């Protein structure tokens, strides 16, 4: 798509990135490392089970975008922990927490795909429009997987107007939905998929709003009692990162704090078994401090 340019080597890089997450999961589960942080490119949380994930950049109009992502790295790591290592390492419940400034729409689609659902696609042909209905369902282990996987995304969401003063990295004014336009606040979990939670902030937010949202999410995460924790660690909510249009103002202390809170939950529920995966974070003017927090 227009925002995701690939080369002949892109899928090699994508497989190496996903493979790094799988290897990190193995290292942690085998006891070689207590936890791990995967500095991977390309990122993954906008890639769904079939590639591009759904977006809604205009009201009532759905589209699809890769968002710089080719393979869903965090979901692949979680699936590996549950499916390939669950029996020998006692991983029966796995959680994915995403604190990138953008909604982890691709990861969510992978998790929602653990439950059967119907979809409809209309295609134009010389004979007229043809609508194809199909079932979507891809379990990692069994039909019960939807109860074994927890997903939560804390992100910016909503309509960006001129009053927000948002700017593209180039400096021009930005208006429209905050990318990807998905992930409205789910509030209480629904019976459809009780372990999928979206916490929509913004489109403008800072330390206080972020930390309040994390603390509310922590209650649900602790109640889930994961045996393994995967973190989609995006740093593009940093005050110096232009990918948030100048609307979000987190700093190194916030990233140290949220990482420490997640590590504490991992210690309390699964012996500290946690793998963090780099998602967004593209402006290096602030140095590498945030990812290393």
């Amino acid at each position: 798509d227009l925002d995701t340019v690939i080369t002949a080597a892109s899928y090699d890089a994508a497989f190496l990135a996903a493979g790094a997450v799988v290897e990190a999961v193995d290292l942690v589960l085998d006891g070689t490392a207590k936890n791990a942080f995967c500095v991977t490119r390309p990122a993954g949380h906008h890639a769904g089970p079939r590639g591009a994930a759904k977006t809604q950049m205009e009201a009532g109009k759905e589209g699809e975008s890769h968002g710089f992502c080719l393979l869903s790295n965090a979901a692949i790591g979680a699936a590996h922990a549950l499916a390939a290592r669950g029996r020998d390492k006692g991983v029966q419940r796995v959680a994915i927490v995403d604190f990138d400034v953008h909604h982890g729409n691709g990861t969510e689609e992978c998790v929602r795909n653990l439950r059967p659902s119907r979809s409809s696609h209309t295609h134009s042909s010389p004979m007229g429009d043809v609508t194809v209905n199909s079932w979507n369902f891809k379990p990692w282990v069994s039909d019960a997987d939807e109860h074994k996987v927890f997903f939560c995304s804390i992100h910016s969401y909503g309509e960006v107007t001129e009053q927000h003063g948002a700017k593209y990295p180039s400096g021009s004014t930005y208006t429209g939905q905050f990318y990807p336009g998905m992930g409205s606040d789910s509030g209480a979990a629904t019976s459809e998929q009780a372990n999928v939670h979206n916490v929509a902030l913004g489109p403008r937010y800072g330390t206080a709003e972020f930390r309040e949202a994390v603390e509310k999410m922590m209650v649900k995460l602790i109640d889930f009692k994961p045996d393994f924790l995967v973190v989609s660690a995006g740093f593009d909510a940093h005050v110096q990162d232009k990918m948030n249009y100048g609307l979000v103002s987190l700093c190194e202390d916030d990233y140290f704090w949220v990482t420490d809170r997640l590590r504490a939950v991992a210690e309390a529920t699964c012996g500290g078994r946690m793998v963090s995966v780099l998602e967004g974070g593209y402006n290096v003017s602030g140095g590498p401090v945030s990812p290393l927090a």
Side-chain angles (χ1 to χ4, degrees), residues 53-244:
K54 290 181 180 179
T55 61
Q56 192 164 5
M57 300 304 292
E58 297 179 33
K61 185 177 179 181
E62 285 192 351
E64 290 186 332
S65 168
H66 284 276
F68 312 150
C69 302
L70 298 180
L71 297 175
S72 196
N73 301 328
I76 289 170
H80 179 71
L82 188 66
R85 305 304 306 275
R87 183 169 298 179
D88 68 320
K89 295 298 179 181
V91 180
Q92 299 301 314
R93 299 164 71 83
V94 63
I96 306 170
V97 175
D98 188 328
F99 58 73
D100 188 280
V101 76
H102 303 100
H103 174 238
N105 55 333
T107 308
E108 180 176 331
E109 284 189 17
C110 292
V111 173
R112 288 195 179 277
N113 211 35
L114 299 174
R115 178 188 177 93
S117 63
R118 289 183 66 89
S119 63
S120 178
H121 300 276
T122 300
H123 308 273
S124 296
S125 75
M127 303 293 291
D129 289 346
V130 177
T131 299
V132 178
N133 296 310
S134 61
W135 282 97
N136 300 316
F137 183 39
K138 187 66 174 178
W140 297 346
V141 179
S142 72
D143 293 354
D145 284 353
E146 65 172 293
H147 305 295
K148 299 178 180 180
V149 182
F150 174 101
F151 172 75
C152 180
S153 177
I154 302 170
H155 52 269
S156 187
Y157 176 86
E159 181 77 20
V160 180
T161 67
E162 290 185 3
Q163 285 69 36
H164 285 106
K167 301 289 184 182
Y168 281 106
S170 63
S172 59
T173 299
Y174 175 80
T175 58
Q177 286 292 325
F178 199 100
Y179 182 87
M182 306 294 287
S184 60
D185 200 321
S186 57
T190 67
S191 59
E192 291 184 358
Q193 203 140 353
N195 293 325
V196 173
H197 306 275
N198 284 308
V199 184
L201 301 175
R204 184 187 297 279
Y205 68 87
T207 294
E209 296 88 349
F210 176 71
R211 296 195 182 196
E212 181 181 2
V214 170
E215 291 293 2
K216 290 180 179 178
M217 178 273 297
M218 289 293 183
V219 175
K220 298 173 182 177
L221 179 61
I222 293 170
D223 287 344
F224 179 74
K225 298 182 177 66
D227 299 313
F228 197 90
L229 176 59
V230 177
V231 180
S232 276
F235 299 91
D236 42 6
H238 193 283
V239 66
Q240 293 191 36
D241 198 301
K242 304 302 181 184
M243 292 300 291
N244 63 54

Side-chain angles (χ1 to χ4, degrees), residues 20-75:
V21 179
V22 169
E23 183 174 359
V25 169
D26 283 339
L27 289 171
V28 171
L29 288 177
D30 290 337
T32 305
K34 187 167 186 178
N35 51 52
F37 176 55
C38 302
V39 186
T40 51
R41 282 290 180 262
H45 72 152
H46 297 310
R50 287 167 295 279
K54 290 181 180 179
T55 61
Q56 192 164 5
M57 300 304 292
E58 297 179 33
K61 185 177 179 181
E62 285 192 351
E64 290 186 332
S65 168
H66 284 276
F68 312 150
C69 302
L70 298 180
L71 297 175
S72 196
N73 301 328

